[in-house]
Amino acid sequence: MTEQSQSNNRMVIKLVAIVIGMFGFGFALVPLYDVFCDITGINGKTNPYAATYDVNTDVDTSREITVEFITRNQSGMPWDFEARTHRIKVHPGELKTVEFYVRNPTGRDIIGQAIPSVSPGTAALYLNKTECFCFEQQPLKAGAEALMPMQFYVDPQLPEDIKVFTLSYTLYDVTGTSTVAMNRG
Amino acid sequence: MGKGVLTAICATLASSVAVAERSDINLRQGVTDISEQVYGLHMTIFYICVVIGVVVFGAMLYAMIFHRKSKGAKPANFHESVKVEVAWTIVPFLILVGMAIPAAKTLIAMEDTSEADVTVLVTGSQWKWHYKYMDHDVDFYSLMATQPEQIANKFDKGENYLLEVDRPLVIPTGQKVRFLITSDDVIHSWWVPDFAVKKDANPGFINEAWTKVNEPGIYRGQCAELCGKDHGFMPVVVIAKEPAEYQRWLAEEEAKQLKAKEEEQKLLAMNMEMDELMDVGKQVYQSACAACHMPNGEGLPGVFPALKGSDIAINDMQKHIDIVVNGVSGTSMQAFGKQLSLKELAAVITYERNAWGNNTGETVQAKDVNALITGN
Amino acid sequence: MSSVADDLHHDEHHDHKPAGIMRWLLTTNHKDIGTLYLWFAFIMFLVGGAMAMVIRAELFQPGLQIVEPNFFNQMTTVHGLIMVFGAVMPAFTGLANWMVPLMIGAPDMALPRMNNWSFWILPGAFLILLASLFLEGGGPNFGWTFYAPLSTTYSNDSTALFVFSVHIMGISSIMGAINVIVTIFNMRAPGMTWMKMPMFVWTWLITAFLLIAVMPVLAGAVTMVLTDKYFGTSFFDAAGGGDPVLFQHIFWFFGHPEVYIMILPAFGIISHIVPTFSRKKLFGYSSMVYATASIALLSFIVWAHHMFTTGMPLFAEMFFMFATMLISVPTGVKVFNWVATMWRGSISYEMPMMFALAFIVLFTIGGFSGLMLAITPVDFQYHDTYFVVAHFHYVLVTGAVFSIMAAVYYWLPKWCGKMYDQTLAQWHFWCSLISVNLLFFPMHFVGLAGMPRRIPDYALQFADFNKWISIGGFAFGLSQLIFLALIIKASRKIGEPATAQVWDGAEGLEWEVPSPAPYHTFETPPEVK
């Protein structure tokens, strides 16, 4: 081996390492994006885990925030799905519970998953859910119905310019891919 | 001489202003304060580019004409100048800062969706829009109304070819209207040029936009994001009415939709005749199904399945109703249960089971469809 | 890796070339491979162009006449993929193969056998892509940007072939880029320091780094599309916790640097041609190098300007707007430098210079519309209209493609030893110049007037312009047949013999070897003063 070809080989190895690294980086963008969204709220996803409510939270009675609820079904999801409360006014820091009604009108057992989305996206950072049906997949037997609660409070740090925000739930049929056992419902 | 040049420049400027306002070659000013600001920004940036272009291309043209070899030009020796190079880095930068400030102001105004008077949920799906008024029981689908024969060049094309819908969105003038925008399947983009509103409809996520229309009128736009086969046939039509007229329209619409639901209940006790079902079914099929399954029921092989001779359409009636009502997850087949009335559903399923040689001879009645929907 | 070492000595011992097809299949000679790349790119240019003809024929008048919407979408998709990955990128790689060793005084590319591979997998990739058009249900129809979920849940089964073929194209580009980098780093003639390197070599070096940085990200994106569609992952599916907008972020993280991959080598070419025919040194060589590097760096932080309408928060829209506007500074520096090079030169108008001048003016027009598109509030109006189509065709056709044509005219005498046919060249230039503007300029107007892109049929107010656009399109397509005739003529060694220097103002090592360039050059490295 000449000196030239050795140094060529060393360089090729380095460059291939960059290529492999960048291929990995492409995939790393997926969790990075999630982290970035968690910090900035850019895509309006809410936290998928329950927040804990501190009973000593100061309720900011000087402000009133309007929260709107929208329910939607993805194509192929036959459940009836609606918010019992379409719009609610809350003070930041105040704990509130709203209910969502679901019914499975079909003759088969179905597992649903609700995906939340908040607009404006920044508000998602200040919406804390202590209890939500969207944290888990929801099994519903043929013909069964249920009331699903969602308990939340709005962080008093919510920027002043946000006075209204909308929380939408899109319900998906995940029966085929779900790991949840049907008998839990 | 000097005067002549001046007149010529003025004439050119005047004609360029006239040209700039022609909406067939330029952005339109639109009918909202925001759209006017956007138009203003567009023209400012355009003129800045024109000035830079004239200077740069002018210098180039001068060199091309006067520094030609054939004219005996001898090449100069210079090939760098720190002063000049710094200057033409800094000057463009300052111009950019000057452009960025007004642009940022307009952008901030566009993104402020707070304190809306009316909220409409806009949902895109292949290839139609659905509008739902958030504080009223009014919602409807809006499909392109241009006849297929016009597209196929069999009929003359109408004035609003491809830009007309069966049920336009109606909004009040002078009020802040907020749009919540989302999608049922792929990404669409809701665009009305006269409002300077274009926002993507992302499945599973909601986006917001707003407008405040100054002038009553009919405003037309289109889906702007490639969303599959009929992306080009998914217009948006918005009618802006005076608030009082808008309220009247809304009340009428609410009453009409309530009545339709009552009618539907009555239908459950009735049986419709095959002929009537086939007539209604054919119409529904043309508007709701033919885009994918084709008017002849043969579908697009490899993309959209054929209904003609399909096992489900000939044998399995329950499955057939289920698919039409609930759609098929993970495919382009939408759920039509909420898009069509019971009567229309019954008719179109009957049609599919008896057209193109699918001669099952069976009728599907509203109560059969209702049984599946309600689980009874 | 030992094969790499063998490669180096390969050609030294086998001076004669095998005959017929085997010569081309087995060749490791950089000139042969460069020729193969260039011919492949030209064939793909004609194939992609034929698809553009189908698109323009359908859009000649309102209504559906020739093709179905589904096939129309396949045409726009495959036209884009072929022109980007099959025509422009391989043409630049071909030019790099031919010219980089000649310009830096190297006997060949550093990794000749890999060079052979990186070319010969390309035709396979495009055969797969083209074959998918003949499947039941047709080929990819979701646009060359393949946004999820249109390309995942809602696509047909040709998607698997599409993914496979993009993977192969990516591997080919990456191998080509590695080869260029190693060659430039290790094989420069003694005395050729970094700041003495010809601009084409500089721009290609930076391009090659962009390629190895972003082509793997594209490979990641298509892999995610594949697993989302066939293996139940939910990267881009909201139902499983994914986000369709994430796809766009990943795609454009690749896509924006990709745009510069297709234009930086063009800057290099123009930076050779303008000084040659102005008989004056390039103005601001070092600022050209810095400008190229800063354009490349900035290209990594502007990707989301393709996505302003997806619903980003205000601060993100602001950031991407400002960052994008910044790119016009180094790009402007380049244009100013070219004009300053011409200033007080001694200019003559041979064909390479004609194309270079057309490039400078028309590319700058594309740059202006790019600046307009950067302004977020106005972009809401421009986005996904024909204004965008006009913009990127000005940058890619009258930009990248014109620079490639300029390069061919510039170096063809060096490759073939014969001057090109002057009459055909004049016809080709003037027909192309007039028709390309008839083709793309009115697109600005219909775009501003509100015509969305990627539609097979349009409202009546766009009809007049579309007719002219289509006529321009057909004329531009036909003009390229003149170019084909010209190249065939020169490669059959018909024409005036060319001298070693070819152009009296030309400088650089490539002009010191005879014309046509012998099969082996610089076996003993030249001395660079």
Side-chain angles (χ1 to χ4, degrees):
Chain A
M1 258 195 195
T2 61
E3 198 183 321
Q4 169 97 76
S5 66
Q6 273 178 345
S7 91
N8 284 357
N9 287 355
R10 274 199 304 276
M11 185 132 196
V12 169
I13 291 165
K14 277 184 215 156
L15 293 172
V16 169
I18 297 179
V19 169
I20 293 169
M22 286 308 293
F23 186 66
F25 178 74
F27 284 88
L29 281 172
V30 178
L32 279 176
Y33 179 70
D34 282 341
V35 170
F36 196 66
C37 291
D38 277 352
I39 298 168
T40 61
I42 62 170
N43 68 350
K45 268 191 198 171
T46 59
N47 206 325
Y49 309 105
T52 47
Y53 181 70
D54 182 352
V55 283
N56 297 323
T57 305
D58 286 331
V59 176
D60 181 359
T61 47
S62 66
R63 290 170 71 193
E64 211 173 39
I65 312 295
T66 307
V67 186
E68 295 175 333
F69 300 98
I70 295 178
T71 54
R72 301 182 53 256
N73 281 26
Q74 196 62 4
S75 261
M77 179 51 156
W79 289 6
D80 297 328
F81 177 38
E82 60 188 64
R84 278 288 151 90
T85 314
H86 292 287
R87 180 174 288 168
I88 192 173
K89 285 188 192 280
V90 296
H91 299 298
E94 182 185 12
L95 196 64
K96 282 276 183 185
T97 305
V98 287
E99 283 183 325
F100 290 77
Y101 170 79
V102 282
R103 191 173 84 91
N104 178 358
T106 67
R108 61 199 151 95
D109 301 345
I110 290 176
I111 300 166
Q113 167 75 59
I115 301 291
S117 172
V118 173
S119 186
T122 340
L125 298 178
Y126 303 94
L127 174 69
N128 296 301
K129 294 187 268 192
T130 53
E131 195 187 333
C132 181
F133 54 94
C134 62
F135 294 152
E136 285 169 347
Q137 298 181 338
Q138 300 290 331
L140 212 55
K141 287 214 156 70
E145 57 184 354
L147 271 183
M148 306 190 297
M150 198 277 276
Q151 194 178 46
F152 72 99
Y153 69 96
V154 177
D155 193 312
Q157 305 292 314
L158 182 78
E160 287 287 335
D161 57 316
I162 300 180
K163 297 175 186 84
V164 185
F165 66 84
T166 310
L167 172 56
S168 93
Y169 282 106
T170 310
L171 195 61
Y172 289 83
D173 177 355
V174 293
T175 314
T177 54
S178 173
T179 49
V180 175
M182 199 59 223
N183 55 19
R184 266 196 38 219
Chain B
M1 165 79 191
K3 208 176 165 193
V5 171
L6 204 67
T7 329
I9 290 175
C10 288
T12 319
L13 274 178
S15 68
S16 78
V17 168
V19 166
E21 279 169 7
R22 278 175 54 187
S23 69
D24 61 332
I25 58 166
N26 197 1
L27 217 56
R28 55 193 98 186
Q29 276 174 309
V31 290
T32 68
D33 296 349
I34 290 285
S35 73
E36 275 167 26
Q37 282 182 38
V38 165
Y39 175 82
L41 273 174
H42 161 74
M43 289 316 290
T44 312
I45 293 152
F46 172 71
Y47 284 128
I48 290 174
C49 288
V50 168
V51 170
I52 299 174
V54 166
V55 172
V56 174
F57 299 150
M60 188 173 148
L61 197 67
Y62 184 89
M64 281 168 67
I65 294 170
F66 294 100
H67 304 150
R68 265 180 299 166
K69 185 175 176 240
S70 56
K71 280 192 87 186
K74 292 272 167 293
N77 225 346
F78 67 91
H79 58 85
E80 59 191 351
S81 159
V82 177
K83 267 187 226 154
V84 174
E85 287 171 65
V86 169
W88 65 39
T89 309
I90 294 198
V91 173
F93 184 78
L94 294 178
I95 296 174
L96 289 181
V97 173
M99 275 154 108
I101 293 168
K105 274 190 193 147
T106 306
L107 187 58
I108 291 169
M110 286 175 119
E111 294 293 327
D112 177 18
T113 54
S114 63
E115 287 167 31
D117 303 304
V118 178
T119 300
V120 182
L121 176 64
V122 179
T123 310
S125 62
Q126 287 179 326
W127 294 279
K128 51 185 157 279
W129 295 100
H130 178 257
Y131 301 112
K132 184 177 195 296
Y133 292 79
M134 294 308 288
D135 296 312
H136 300 271
D137 279 331
V138 174
D139 74 288
F140 52 87
Y141 282 88
S142 175
L143 278 81
M144 186 179 73
T146 303
Q147 299 151 295
E149 290 83 357
Q150 288 188 19
I151 296 170
N153 307 308
K154 287 185 192 131
F155 295 174
D156 283 347
K157 294 174 173 49
E159 186 194 352
N160 295 311
Y161 176 67
L162 300 186
L163 298 177
E164 51 202 344
V165 298
D166 54 354
R167 305 183 72 183
L169 174 68
V170 178
I171 57 170
T173 54
Q175 295 185 12
K176 188 164 182 175
V177 182
R178 183 170 68 126
F179 304 106
L180 293 168
I181 301 168
T182 185
S183 164
D184 272 340
D185 38 45
V186 299
I187 299 173
H188 303 269
S189 194
W190 196 79
W191 179 32
V192 181
D194 281 308
F195 304 165
V197 169
K198 185 188 284 149
K199 206 65 151 186
D200 288 3
N202 297 321
F205 292 84
I206 49 172
N207 264 330
E208 276 183 298
W210 68 272
T211 192
K212 193 165 152 191
V213 180
N214 300 330
E215 299 284 322
I218 302 175
Y219 305 107
R220 297 170 198 277
Q222 279 178 278
C223 174
E225 180 64 58
L226 177 64
C227 56
K229 183 169 91 57
D230 283 353
H231 162 57
F233 307 99
M234 197 175 157
V236 175
V237 179
V238 182
I239 300 182
K241 292 182 193 248
E242 301 282 359
E245 214 182 317
Y246 162 76
Q247 286 301 341
R248 213 174 316 133
W249 174 85
L250 198 65
E252 270 171 31
E253 195 64 26
E254 210 164 6
K256 221 193 308 180
Q257 296 207 358
L258 199 69
K259 200 164 161 231
K261 273 181 199 148
E262 284 165 7
E263 294 279 314
E264 195 141 83
Q265 290 306 312
K266 283 186 209 156
L267 220 100
L268 293 178
M270 294 172 13
N271 268 339
M272 284 164 74
E273 293 299 321
M274 178 62 116
D275 287 350
E276 193 189 352
L277 283 167
M278 288 296 280
D279 281 351
V280 178
K282 185 165 187 183
Q283 284 170 25
V284 176
Y285 184 84
Q286 296 300 345
S287 68
C289 317
C292 298
H293 296 292
M294 297 289 128
N296 58 12
E298 286 171 4
L300 274 183
V303 188
F304 304 117
L307 303 178
K308 181 180 173 178
S310 132
D311 180 50
I312 293 169
I314 294 175
N315 297 316
D316 194 342
M317 192 198 285
Q318 282 308 310
K319 182 99 191 257
H320 192 169
I321 300 174
D322 180 33
I323 289 177
V324 174
V325 169
N326 293 320
V328 182
S329 267
T331 71
S332 305
M333 183 61 200
Q334 301 172 357
F336 287 91
K338 293 196 173 72
Q339 300 187 29
L340 302 173
S341 70
L342 288 176
K343 180 182 167 186
E344 288 168 330
L345 286 165
V348 78
I349 297 168
T350 306
Y351 178 76
E352 287 170 359
R353 300 181 76 76
N354 291 286
W356 331 291
N358 286 2
N359 297 320
T360 60
E362 300 164 339
T363 57
V364 176
Q365 297 295 342
K367 60 174 181 290
D368 301 328
V369 179
N370 190 52
L372 183 118
I373 291 175
T374 55
N376 297 322
Chain C
M1 274 310 151
S2 67
S3 66
V4 173
D6 296 343
D7 277 349
L8 273 178
H9 304 286
H10 180 76
D11 279 326
E12 291 167 26
H13 305 299
H14 305 278
D15 228 296
H16 58 276
K17 339 167 203 181
I21 184 88
M22 291 316 277
R23 168 189 168 188
W24 297 104
L25 268 177
L26 299 177
T27 185
T28 55
N29 179 289
H30 74 100
K31 300 186 185 81
D32 281 354
I33 292 173
T35 307
L36 284 171
Y37 264 114
L38 287 166
W39 271 113
F40 177 77
F42 196 58
I43 292 165
M44 281 295 131
F45 181 59
L46 296 179
V47 172
M51 292 175 180
M53 297 301 105
V54 175
I55 294 169
R56 284 320 319 173
E58 179 53 58
L59 292 174
F60 185 71
Q61 48 183 3
L64 293 178
Q65 290 88 15
I66 296 167
V67 295
E68 290 299 311
N70 192 42
F71 189 72
F72 182 90
N73 287 346
Q74 291 170 42
M75 285 293 104
T76 54
T77 305
V78 182
H79 163 74
L81 289 167
I82 285 191
M83 288 307 199
V84 169
F85 296 104
V88 174
M89 288 169 70
F92 280 132
T93 314
L95 291 172
N97 263 291
W98 248 105
M99 301 319 298
V100 166
L102 283 181
M103 287 177 146
I104 63 172
D108 203 315
M109 296 292 278
L111 314 159
R113 192 151 293 165
M114 189 165 94
N115 210 6
N116 173 291
W117 270 101
S118 72
F119 173 75
W120 277 110
I121 61 175
L122 259 192
F126 284 91
L127 279 179
I128 292 171
L129 183 65
L130 290 171
S132 76
L133 287 173
F134 298 97
L135 289 181
E136 194 184 54
N141 56 7
F142 29 66
W144 85 279
T145 52
F146 60 105
Y147 280 10
L150 190 60
S151 62
T152 56
T153 317
Y154 297 87
S155 67
N156 59 34
D157 275 332
S158 67
T159 309
L161 291 183
F162 157 80
V163 170
F164 188 47
S165 110
V166 170
H167 268 304
I168 302 174
M169 295 171 201
I171 291 169
S172 164
S173 305
I174 289 169
M175 293 202 296
I178 289 179
N179 214 338
V180 168
I181 294 174
V182 177
T183 307
I184 295 174
F185 266 78
N186 288 356
M187 313 229 348
R188 275 170 294 139
M192 179 162 289
T193 56
W194 289 111
M195 291 313 269
K196 277 187 188 163
M197 259 177 12
M199 271 315 290
F200 182 68
V201 180
W202 255 119
T203 52
W204 237 109
L205 179 67
I206 293 168
T207 302
F209 274 108
L210 284 180
L211 275 167
I212 63 167
V214 300
M215 289 308 283
V217 177
L218 173 69
V222 289
T223 308
M224 288 182 235
V225 163
L226 186 78
T227 60
D228 260 20
K229 184 166 172 60
Y230 292 105
F231 302 105
T233 57
S234 319
F235 291 108
F236 312 127
D237 182 4
D243 182 349
V245 176
L246 169 65
F247 173 83
Q248 298 178 34
H249 282 290
I250 299 177
F251 180 83
W252 287 113
F253 186 83
F254 146 79
H256 203 75
E258 168 69 20
V259 172
Y260 294 106
I261 286 167
M262 292 189 283
I263 204 66
L264 294 184
F267 291 163
I269 292 163
I270 302 305
S271 303
H272 284 275
I273 292 175
V274 169
T276 298
F277 297 98
S278 304
R279 292 164 184 79
K280 190 160 153 275
K281 269 180 85 170
L282 179 66
F283 186 88
Y285 170 87
S286 47
S287 70
M288 282 298 218
V289 173
Y290 300 135
T292 311
S294 44
I295 291 173
L297 288 176
L298 282 173
S299 76
F300 284 103
I301 55 161
V302 296
W303 76 88
H305 67 216
H306 297 268
M307 311 164 44
F308 282 140
T309 62
T310 56
M312 280 187 287
L314 189 59
F315 76 89
E317 287 175 335
M318 295 270 193
F319 172 80
F320 287 108
M321 169 166 82
F322 298 143
T324 306
M325 290 169 84
L326 267 187
I327 288 194
S328 58
V329 175
T331 314
V333 165
K334 290 190 161 281
V335 175
F336 300 144
N337 281 350
W338 291 323
V339 175
T341 307
M342 289 165 62
W343 193 258
R344 291 179 54 207
S346 171
I347 305 171
S348 58
Y349 297 96
E350 285 85 350
M351 201 40 63
M353 186 63 165
M354 298 297 274
F355 269 98
L357 294 173
F359 169 96
I360 295 174
V361 173
L362 299 176
F363 171 80
T364 306
I365 291 176
F368 286 145
S369 54
L371 180 59
M372 294 168 82
L373 282 158
I375 315 288
T376 315
V378 207
D379 178 74
F380 291 146
Q381 290 282 50
Y382 304 146
H383 179 74
D384 269 337
T385 67
Y386 261 80
F387 190 77
V388 177
V389 179
H391 160 71
F392 68 72
H393 281 97
Y394 261 88
V395 174
L396 286 177
V397 179
T398 58
V401 173
F402 267 33
S403 82
I404 293 164
M405 288 174 181
V408 170
Y409 282 108
Y410 189 51
W411 285 313
L412 197 65
K414 178 59 59 186
W415 302 336
C416 301
K418 302 284 176 187
M419 288 304 285
Y420 48 81
D421 185 315
Q422 302 287 352
T423 323
L424 286 180
Q426 292 291 339
W427 275 101
H428 174 229
F429 175 76
W430 290 106
C431 290
S432 295
L433 183 73
I434 294 165
S435 59
V436 85
N437 283 294
L438 182 60
L439 167 57
F440 296 125
F441 206 79
M443 285 187 182
H444 291 113
F445 300 142
V446 287
L448 292 174
M451 179 168 163
R453 63 193 280 211
R454 292 166 166 171
I455 55 172
D457 193 4
Y458 47 81
L460 299 179
Q461 69 260 37
F462 310 124
D464 289 347
F465 279 126
N466 269 287
K467 188 175 69 193
W468 287 109
I469 292 169
S470 288
I471 292 170
F474 302 140
F476 184 69
L478 289 176
S479 309
Q480 302 325 308
L481 300 179
I482 308 176
F483 192 42
L484 179 66
L486 178 141
I487 294 172
I488 290 175
K489 212 171 159 191
S491 55
R492 295 204 160 183
K493 315 278 178 199
I494 306 167
E496 301 270 310
T499 61
Q501 200 194 1
V502 185
W503 317 106
D504 59 2
E507 282 178 30
L509 291 175
E510 80 264 38
W511 307 110
E512 288 170 19
V513 300
S515 300
Y519 200 56
H520 299 291
T521 38
F522 297 127
E523 286 178 274
T524 34
E527 196 72 40
V528 180
K529 291 149 275 168

